[in-house]
Amino acid sequence: MSPDDLWSIGQLAERAGVTVKTVRFYSDRGLLPEAARSGGGHRRYGPDALDRLRLIRSLRTLDLPVPDVGRVLDQEDDLEDLIAGQLREVTSRLAALRWREAALRLLADCTVRERAERLRLIGTVTFPPGTAAIARFWRNWLPARLPSKVATGIIDRAVPAPPDDPTPAQVLAFARLQEFVTGPCFVPGPRAGTEHGVPEVHAPEVQVPGVQVPEVHAPGKGYRPAVLYAGLPEAFELAAAELRAGRAPHGGEALDCFAAVHAAALGRRDTADFRRGLHRMLAAEARIDRYWQLTAEIETPPPGPPEPTPGAADNWLRAALGATV
């Protein structure tokens, strides 16, 4: 190109609709190469610089960092991957803002006494919240030697996913759940065998009012927790169907599956005598019903009916067992 076909920095800025300072900024960072220099040492740009400058502005409008813009222009990074990364970041920011909004509404719609307690709870939660503490609770609660695949499946079903657009009530429930799983109230008690060989759990001597401690997993002779936890999801799914239909606890396929899984885990036959012993063991077993109550509140905002949680399914099956023995 002849010097007459080149533009000064001011001419390029005018054609692009930006300031000279903007053009100089991108030129100094190597994003906008100059085509030549004038006799006085002034920068000169070709028409292709206008297209490049417009592309830079588009990428910056998407909040892409300047170093990333440079790599895209030099074809070192794939634009599609960078856009996907920015999209994930924006989605996370929006979720955080929705959680902040719901938390503020929670604080605005309460009494002065409630506000102090809610502020304390909200202070324990990040926005958007994570589930690491809840997953850690389950890893500590489950038997130590449970196969990784089985344990992961249980944790995936048991840990509630924080909603992207929560209600104030869901924010409060999540904060309470976070406090619940990190509290110092899960003190295990001893295990013993019943006359039917079914392990049973006794509550510890020290308890926190209103909070039930989790079951202690200290397998007795012949007890195979992997068999129990691999089979319980099927029983819970069958019970969940009964709960959705609004049926009262009763004998049938769901209960048969539930009893058979426990029998297989203990190396026993599923007999009437076994079920009576199983009923006594489960009746004495410590519970975490509060966990499942809060989980249901997180997963199902009002006014919709709550989706059955594994805890609700377990309660239905225990009640069905009691009704039949």
Side-chain angles (χ1 to χ4, degrees):
M1 298 178 64
S2 68
D4 293 338
D5 295 326
L6 299 178
W7 300 330
S8 68
I9 191 169
Q11 290 171 323
L12 176 59
E14 183 179 359
R15 283 172 169 77
V18 299
T19 65
V20 170
K21 183 179 179 180
T22 298
V23 177
R24 185 173 290 113
F25 174 83
Y26 292 131
S27 295
D28 290 344
R29 280 153 182 77
L31 300 183
L32 199 61
E34 59 202 47
R37 289 266 178 165
S38 68
H42 298 294
R43 298 169 180 176
R44 292 292 184 263
Y45 300 90
D48 59 330
L50 180 59
D51 292 334
R52 189 175 178 94
L53 182 54
R54 286 170 174 165
L55 176 57
I56 293 171
R57 292 188 63 200
S58 296
L59 294 173
R60 291 293 292 142
T61 299
L62 297 172
D63 207 24
L64 208 64
V66 171
D68 289 344
V69 171
R71 286 193 288 271
V72 170
L73 294 173
D74 295 336
Q75 297 183 342
E76 294 178 6
D77 280 354
D78 185 45
L79 179 58
E80 185 176 349
D81 292 339
L82 290 172
I83 290 175
Q86 287 294 103
L87 186 59
R88 287 192 297 270
E89 183 179 343
V90 169
T91 300
S92 178
R93 289 180 185 175
L94 288 174
L97 288 173
R98 295 188 188 106
W99 274 82
R100 284 176 57 190
E101 179 187 16
L104 289 169
R105 294 187 184 281
L106 177 68
L107 295 173
D109 187 23
C110 65
T111 66
V112 175
R113 177 175 295 183
E114 288 175 326
R115 188 168 296 135
E117 173 64 10
R118 292 181 179 186
L119 270 172
R120 183 188 64 79
L121 287 169
I122 289 173
T124 66
V125 181
T126 59
F127 295 155
T131 57
I134 305 174
R136 185 164 54 250
F137 164 82
W138 280 100
R139 284 193 292 270
N140 292 334
W141 192 89
L142 292 171
R145 296 184 179 181
L146 205 60
S148 177
K149 183 177 180 180
V150 175
T152 299
I154 295 168
I155 293 172
D156 287 345
R157 285 187 292 269
V159 175
D164 291 331
D165 191 6
T167 64
Q170 286 176 304
V171 172
L172 182 60
F174 195 94
R176 285 173 171 165
L177 182 63
Q178 182 92 354
E179 180 183 55
F180 180 82
V181 299
T182 56
C185 50
F186 296 106
V187 182
R191 223 182 228 285
T194 67
E195 71 252 38
H196 300 290
V198 181
E200 69 176 349
V201 174
H202 300 281
E205 295 181 0
V206 180
Q207 297 190 30
V208 177
V211 179
Q212 294 168 308
V213 299
E215 176 188 357
V216 182
H217 296 284
K221 184 178 180 181
Y223 175 56
R224 296 181 296 167
V227 173
L228 177 66
Y229 284 96
L232 280 178
E234 181 182 357
F236 289 167
E237 283 298 320
L238 293 170
E242 301 288 345
L243 282 163
R244 294 187 191 99
R247 299 190 185 98
H250 61 85
E253 184 181 9
L255 178 59
D256 290 345
C257 180
F258 184 68
V261 166
H262 278 87
L266 291 159
R268 300 290 307 281
R269 289 190 306 110
D270 179 13
T271 64
D273 198 35
F274 171 81
R275 292 195 182 194
R276 282 191 288 272
L278 179 63
H279 173 58
R280 284 194 294 273
M281 181 273 285
L282 295 179
E285 206 171 56
R287 309 280 295 153
I288 52 170
D289 288 334
R290 179 62 172 161
Y291 177 95
W292 297 116
Q293 175 192 343
L294 293 170
T295 297
E297 293 177 16
I298 294 167
E299 293 181 336
T300 311
E307 180 65 15
T309 63
D314 187 57
N315 284 342
W316 190 95
L317 290 163
R318 289 171 184 241
L321 181 63
T324 57
V325 298

